[in-house]
Amino acid sequence: MTTLPASFRIKSFGCQMNVYDGERMAELLGDNGMTPAADGEDADLVVLNTCHIREKAAEKAYSDVGRLRREDGSRPLIALAGCVAQAEGAEAQARSKMIDIVVGPQSYHRLPEMVAEAALGRRPIDTAMPALSKFDALPRRRKAAPSAFLTVQEGCDKFCTYCVVPYTRGAEISRPWDDVVAEADALIEGGAREIVLLGQNVNAWRDGPRRLDALIRALSKIDGLERIRYTTSHPADMTDGLIAAHGEIDKLMPYLHLPVQSGSDRILKAMNRDHTADSYRRLIEQVRAARPDLALSGDFIVGFPGESDEDFTRTLSIVDAVGYAAAYSFKYSARPGTPAAAMEGAVSPHVMDERLQQLQERIAKSSLAFNRSCVGRDTRILIDRKGRQPGQMIGKTPWLQSVFVETDAAIGDMLDVTLTSALRNSLGGALRTAVAA
Ligand code: SAM
Ligand code: SF4
């Protein structure tokens, strides 16, 4: 048997699912005797866990490969993982001789044996898509951050015309109920207090007749689990049960990431989005009726082919109408093989830049207004990292805002605070006992 190299480093880009996959690969390599390289130390194996969603993200993967050559001309073993690996397969190795291993998101449970092959000078590729078998082959979770990701659903059948996900992550599949509950139990045993259920279309999750709301309800009964979140959702899969769950399950946090992409029905139709601006707004009203303090976030694309000034103005209006607590906005990027890449009416880069800037200003205004509306509230935060100042820690509110607070509490603690000040991306807080004193 070939011995594996001693140390590894995994760099994950893109979505939270890649962060989850990166953690699982690290556990797998660790179980096979490899150790993570310390900060600043050369690793024997570098895994680039890549994102293909926009062209820039995909190109970054190759420039990152180039940078791995060391000053003396040597280099680590290099594995290209994630969605660029899936989309490009053997092409990736043709493009860069430095890539030893190409492994897609559904095959990374085979990473240790592929590393062993690469150590013998071979160049293994695996971009097969065996539904769910990777989860069966992965080790049980042992250590978890206070807020831990748990992938419950992968792939997508929605085929929005701009998006590569249905091609890189494959068809929509849900992990079975028992597997998810077992992994949640293990994460809580390993130290997690919050679980974020992940999926490209997480609210499409199902096991027989049981939908995501039933799963959340069952997880909420686990002792030691304080908070549950889920992301990313599609408007078409917001079931009545899930909407009601927001009003009924205390541990389900009052936060919903529900991308709309555009405020123009014409563009939504061309995007194959399955909803209109109005149906989206009505949906938001329903979830807010169930949970009035709900914080909303979304995704937007500007410059989709054929987007006129008027279409874009409708997008700005939806930001005003919804009052997002946060939102992500992107310039449209034509992706090879997607229907939108062949559409006419390309929007010039200059117009895209202007629209993106306007949209981001509008979103910033909305976030600031939301944060300001929270000042004075008493709430609970989950400490997840240290602040820059001595004695300062940062924690998350139920509405996913970062709060800076002076405390000697540790990462993973939950603190009762009063929110005292607001900026666009964060709030200041004071310990409740300290406020009362
Ligand atoms: N499944 C989710 C959904 O339906 O919205 C998210 C999928 S994707 C990983 C995250 C976001 O990237 C999308 O919501 C969309 O705003 C953006 N995106 C996807 N394809 C894009 C493209 N070709 N150009 C620009 N942005 C894109
Ligand atoms: Fe992509 Fe649309 Fe599927 Fe989201 S719903 S992953 S944007 S195809």
Side-chain angles (χ1 to χ4, degrees):
M1 200 185 120
T2 319
T3 46
L4 295 175
S7 65
F8 68 89
R9 171 168 295 121
I10 298 177
K11 289 173 78 181
S12 289
F13 304 92
C15 64
Q16 287 140 321
M17 199 167 286
N18 265 11
V19 175
Y20 175 88
D21 290 344
E23 287 171 8
R24 307 298 325 252
M25 285 188 248
E27 290 165 354
L28 196 58
L29 294 174
D31 273 17
N32 281 272
M34 296 182 70
T35 47
D39 279 350
E41 197 180 87
D42 270 344
D44 301 315
L45 166 74
V46 174
V47 180
L48 297 173
N49 191 19
T50 57
C51 172
H52 197 62
I53 200 85
R54 284 166 289 274
E55 190 182 358
K56 242 192 193 163
E59 284 308 309
K60 188 171 180 337
Y62 290 100
S63 56
D64 282 349
V65 168
R67 272 202 291 276
L68 289 174
R69 193 173 292 288
R70 303 181 186 116
E71 271 174 24
D72 64 2
S74 68
R75 65 170 179 85
L77 277 181
I78 298 174
L80 189 75
C83 291
V84 174
Q86 186 65 40
E88 311 224 334
E91 274 294 302
Q93 285 182 337
R95 209 172 140 178
S96 170
K97 297 273 172 285
M98 288 172 67
I99 298 172
D100 302 293
I101 297 164
V102 177
V103 61
Q106 305 307 352
S107 315
Y108 64 72
H109 54 291
R110 292 199 51 239
L111 192 55
E113 55 184 292
M114 294 174 83
V115 174
E117 275 185 59
L120 294 172
R122 300 190 195 118
R123 304 181 83 206
I125 299 177
D126 192 343
T127 54
M129 287 205 179
L132 291 179
S133 60
K134 82 174 168 210
F135 290 108
D136 296 336
L138 292 171
R140 186 178 153 84
R141 317 288 320 250
R142 286 193 293 267
K143 248 180 76 191
S147 175
F149 292 139
L150 199 178
T151 293
V152 300
Q153 180 281 328
E154 279 207 50
C156 184
D157 293 341
K158 298 283 188 290
F159 289 94
C160 298
T161 53
Y162 50 80
C163 186
V164 288
V165 168
Y167 313 97
T168 55
R169 289 271 173 173
E172 216 163 82
I173 47 151
S174 296
R175 287 179 72 189
W177 175 284
D178 290 347
D179 287 11
V180 174
V181 174
E183 188 167 333
D185 281 334
L187 287 170
I188 300 303
E189 258 173 54
R193 307 197 74 178
E194 170 177 287
I195 288 185
V196 186
L197 304 174
L198 294 183
Q200 260 94 27
N201 263 311
V202 72
N203 57 344
W205 182 90
R206 65 180 74 220
D207 185 343
R210 293 179 292 189
R211 300 293 306 255
L212 190 66
D213 55 304
L215 181 65
I216 291 173
R217 215 173 283 278
L219 296 180
S220 72
K221 309 239 160 69
I222 302 178
D223 279 344
L225 173 57
E226 309 282 348
R227 293 176 159 193
I228 303 169
R229 302 180 186 276
Y230 62 96
T231 197
T232 294
S233 294
H234 190 287
D237 291 309
M238 280 311 292
T239 60
D240 291 345
L242 188 55
I243 294 171
H246 274 279
E248 294 166 359
I249 303 174
D250 287 345
K251 289 183 182 178
L252 178 59
M253 291 294 102
Y255 185 93
L256 176 62
H257 182 69
L258 194 65
V260 63
Q261 313 299 355
S262 167
S264 156
D265 289 347
R266 208 174 61 81
I267 295 298
L268 287 171
K269 191 152 188 258
M271 286 175 162
N272 190 31
R273 278 297 289 184
D274 233 14
H275 59 82
T276 61
D278 246 10
S279 67
Y280 177 84
R281 269 198 288 253
R282 280 200 301 276
L283 194 52
I284 302 278
E285 276 167 23
Q286 279 177 280
V287 196
R288 277 205 170 124
R291 183 75 207 225
D293 68 337
L294 188 82
L296 269 151
S297 111
D299 290 346
F300 292 92
I301 296 176
V302 298
F304 185 82
E307 185 188 67
S308 65
D309 284 344
E310 199 189 323
D311 293 318
F312 177 63
T313 307
R314 290 179 199 276
T315 297
L316 293 178
S317 313
I318 214 162
V319 176
D320 294 341
V322 169
Y324 288 98
Y328 304 89
S329 46
F330 312 100
K331 284 190 274 186
Y332 168 71
S333 169
R335 308 308 294 124
T338 58
M343 286 182 191
E344 291 182 354
V347 174
S348 77
H350 167 70
V351 171
M352 274 205 224
D353 283 339
E354 272 189 355
R355 287 183 186 165
L356 187 69
Q357 200 190 333
Q358 267 194 64
L359 178 59
Q360 290 185 337
E361 279 168 14
R362 198 67 71 102
I363 292 168
K365 222 172 103 190
S366 186
S367 302
L368 182 60
F370 180 82
N371 287 348
R372 282 190 175 147
S373 75
C374 296
V375 172
R377 272 189 207 173
D378 292 338
T379 190
R380 186 163 281 188
I381 59 172
L382 172 58
I383 300 291
D384 58 9
R385 65 206 143 104
K386 286 187 172 160
R388 283 218 196 107
Q389 313 296 334
Q392 189 185 54
M393 300 297 279
I394 305 173
K396 290 278 187 328
T397 66
W399 309 280
L400 208 61
Q401 300 140 304
S402 290
V403 177
F404 289 73
V405 63
E406 302 229 337
T407 173
D408 52 13
I411 290 175
D413 286 350
M414 296 194 82
L415 298 180
D416 288 325
V417 298
T418 299
L419 301 174
T420 52
S421 60
L423 297 170
R424 188 212 151 174
N425 289 318
S426 64
L427 290 126
L431 287 181
R432 277 264 273 289
T433 43
V435 174

